[in-house]
Amino acid sequence: MATDEKLLQFLYACPVGLIEFDGAGEISMINPHAMQHLMPLAGAAACVNFFAAMENFAPELRSIAGNFPGSHGTIRDHHRIFVDLAERRRKGRPQVLSCSLVKLGPDRFMATLGDITDEVTREHRLRQADTWFSALIDGINDFGVVVVSGDLTVISANASFLRQSRRGFDTVIGHSVKDILVHSGENEPGAESVEDQFGVAARDGWHLHEGWEQRADGERYWCQRLIVVRDDDETPQDTTFSMVMRDVPPRETDSGDLITMLTRDDLTGASNRMYFHKTLRREKLRWQNRREPLSLVMLDLDHFKAVNDSYGHPGGDAVLCAVARTGLAMKPANAVFARLGGEEFALLLPGQGIDGAMRIASALREAIARTPVETTRGEIRVTASMGCAELDEVDGSTDDLIELADARLYQAKRSGRNRVLAAVS
């Protein structure tokens, strides 16, 4: 009894959330700190099943734990969970939780939960500082300076830049900087377009980018690109930029695998919640700067609980993977198809107004309905309900965009399911 009391005292005082559960997610122990984090997420699911409570925010945890091959050991350290998709809470910062998973033994798991929102903010600043310091101490092969106007036309460039880029004066001055800089990887997870980088610089005063660049003859080199707003502009309309291009030795590690791990849903391969959030922020900036349309489609599978009840979670997982394959195959090249939680997906459509979003969503709905999913227990057919909304409808509020698309999604559910709506009656 004394040992049990000491254990309870430790759990109560522990500053980190601790949750013990079995392979199905049924919680056998949870301390007060974990309860504080889990209760807002669990909603109607209550805090009785860990996987169910996390389903709408980190659905990948079920497959991560279930696919761990060992009898015991650390499954995942500091897995990041983006709780807020938009920016209404916490003074404009999304809340981020850290979750570590450990397998204690047969059918015994332990999860830790902690709020790392402040840490993520500091980390972002530290990454910027790290790049600044590396700019000071790293070796440098060459650097060039370019002056760019607000419409991204090159006004002037020094001889070092012409040497570095191996371009002639006539092919640089008066041309768009987009035609000179390499940005072929902008569709990769986490990448920013050249326009986005200048947009951030106009907003924050500066922007720093590090990655591969390409000379006119095709040779690649590693480049640190610093864009700053010049202080000689009289009005915002006259904004010009100075861009410093540093040719530096490439970093030793390739971050491609890490980026993929951080941006993809483990089960389905769709983009994850964190990447969706990041892209939404970036596309909102593009919407502000260039007034290009931006639309969102929220998608939820119909009667998915019945699929899990009839075919088990392996059957449900097969359905989710099939829907993700369809969504990824049908999305436009610059769109993001993400799994937000459970059976809920989102399709973010840069450059599309509400009519375009309706057209794409309707084609996706039809494709999902006519695609059978083969499982060991037989063929499964599912349908999906969807709600569409455009950022112009909500005056640029990403919170309201999500809420409006969600409202139309649930109107589609109430109207009989297997349909797409862009208005609530």
Side-chain angles (χ1 to χ4, degrees):
M1 177 65 76
T3 302
D4 291 341
E5 289 180 357
K6 290 180 179 177
L7 176 60
L8 287 173
Q9 289 174 358
F10 166 76
L11 293 174
Y12 188 83
C14 183
V16 176
L18 296 174
I19 307 164
E20 184 175 343
F21 54 95
D22 63 18
E26 296 301 318
I27 295 173
S28 55
M29 185 281 295
I30 180 169
N31 73 349
H33 204 79
M35 187 68 81
Q36 289 178 1
H37 292 309
L38 206 58
M39 283 186 67
L41 308 184
C47 298
V48 295
N49 185 293
F50 178 69
F51 295 136
M54 302 297 289
E55 190 69 11
N56 290 330
F57 299 90
E60 67 276 10
L61 291 178
R62 186 190 298 274
S63 56
I64 290 173
N67 293 333
F68 185 69
S71 60
H72 64 279
T74 300
I75 301 173
R76 182 67 63 89
D77 254 342
H78 306 301
H79 185 73
R80 295 187 172 187
I81 302 168
F82 270 62
V83 175
D84 303 318
L85 288 175
E87 301 177 337
R88 186 161 291 163
R89 296 183 185 178
R90 294 181 67 92
K91 299 179 181 179
R93 292 178 296 164
Q95 185 185 17
V96 186
L97 298 181
S98 172
C99 176
S100 295
L101 289 176
V102 176
K103 188 170 185 178
L104 302 174
D107 209 32
R108 285 187 67 208
F109 296 83
M110 178 70 79
T112 64
L113 281 180
D115 189 333
I116 59 168
T117 304
D118 294 337
E119 181 181 326
V120 169
T121 301
R122 288 195 297 271
E123 183 183 274
H124 176 69
R125 294 297 181 191
L126 283 172
R127 277 203 303 270
Q128 293 178 329
D130 177 64
T131 307
W132 272 110
F133 281 123
S134 69
L136 295 174
I137 63 177
D138 284 351
I140 179 170
N141 301 320
D142 199 0
F143 73 92
V145 180
V146 181
V147 178
V148 180
S149 67
D151 65 358
L152 305 191
T153 300
V154 176
I155 299 173
S156 66
N158 67 357
S160 295
F161 176 76
L162 300 179
R163 181 175 61 249
Q164 181 188 126
S165 65
R166 294 177 185 165
R167 298 175 187 275
F169 183 85
D170 294 341
T171 62
V172 173
I173 306 303
H175 292 264
S176 172
V177 73
K178 294 186 297 181
D179 299 330
I180 297 170
L181 301 178
V182 169
H183 51 101
S184 57
E186 66 177 351
N187 291 325
E188 297 298 319
E192 294 176 313
S193 69
V194 171
E195 295 98 324
D196 292 336
Q197 294 171 32
F198 277 86
V200 171
R203 183 193 64 193
D204 298 343
W206 62 282
H207 181 269
L208 191 58
H209 170 83
E210 184 171 359
W212 289 108
E213 191 53 70
Q214 186 170 304
R215 310 186 205 280
D217 59 6
E219 181 187 351
R220 295 206 311 166
Y221 65 104
W222 196 253
C223 181
Q224 292 170 345
R225 181 190 306 157
L226 173 63
I227 303 169
V228 295
V229 175
R230 294 167 63 90
D231 60 6
D232 53 357
D233 306 321
E234 296 182 356
T235 69
Q237 291 74 26
D238 298 328
T239 297
T240 55
F241 303 89
S242 289
M243 181 175 69
V244 180
M245 306 275 288
R246 290 167 49 94
D247 177 352
V248 296
R251 301 292 178 94
E252 294 180 356
T253 55
D254 185 352
S255 59
D257 291 343
L258 177 61
I259 291 174
T260 298
M261 185 184 78
L262 292 175
T263 59
R264 299 297 183 196
D265 176 60
D266 282 63
L267 176 65
T268 65
S271 296
N272 63 18
R273 190 179 181 89
M274 182 172 68
Y275 182 62
F276 173 82
H277 160 80
K278 184 175 181 179
T279 307
L280 181 60
R281 291 186 63 189
R282 190 177 69 209
E283 293 301 333
K284 178 186 175 182
L285 181 65
R286 197 196 302 268
W287 176 87
Q288 288 173 324
N289 291 337
R290 291 189 271 166
R291 303 303 296 184
E292 293 180 355
L294 175 64
S295 293
L296 173 66
V297 179
M298 299 294 285
L299 180 159
D300 194 82
L301 295 181
D302 299 326
H303 303 298
F304 186 70
K305 183 176 183 303
V307 173
N308 276 333
D309 291 344
S310 301
Y311 297 89
H313 282 294
D317 288 351
V319 168
L320 295 172
C321 291
V323 170
R325 284 195 298 272
T326 303
L328 291 170
M330 296 185 66
K331 76 175 183 66
N334 62 343
V336 171
F337 187 79
R339 185 187 180 200
L340 300 186
E343 68 274 25
E344 185 179 51
F345 294 85
L347 178 59
L348 188 64
L349 293 165
Q352 296 288 342
I354 194 69
D355 293 338
M358 280 290 293
R359 175 177 48 78
I360 294 169
S362 297
L364 178 58
R365 181 195 64 78
E366 292 172 5
I368 291 172
R370 67 171 177 263
T371 304
V373 181
E374 302 294 339
T375 73
T376 56
R377 295 190 187 182
E379 180 183 289
I380 306 174
R381 287 185 178 273
V382 294
T383 60
S385 299
M386 306 184 198
C388 304
E390 184 178 356
L391 197 56
D392 279 340
E393 296 182 89
V394 291
D395 295 328
S397 166
T398 53
D399 295 278
D400 293 342
L401 176 69
I402 294 171
E403 287 183 12
L404 183 59
D406 248 345
R408 290 168 177 173
L409 162 63
Y410 285 100
Q411 177 71 35
K413 293 272 189 187
R414 291 191 295 270
S415 302
R417 297 183 173 86
N418 190 23
R419 62 195 63 201
V420 180
L421 291 184
V424 177
S425 59

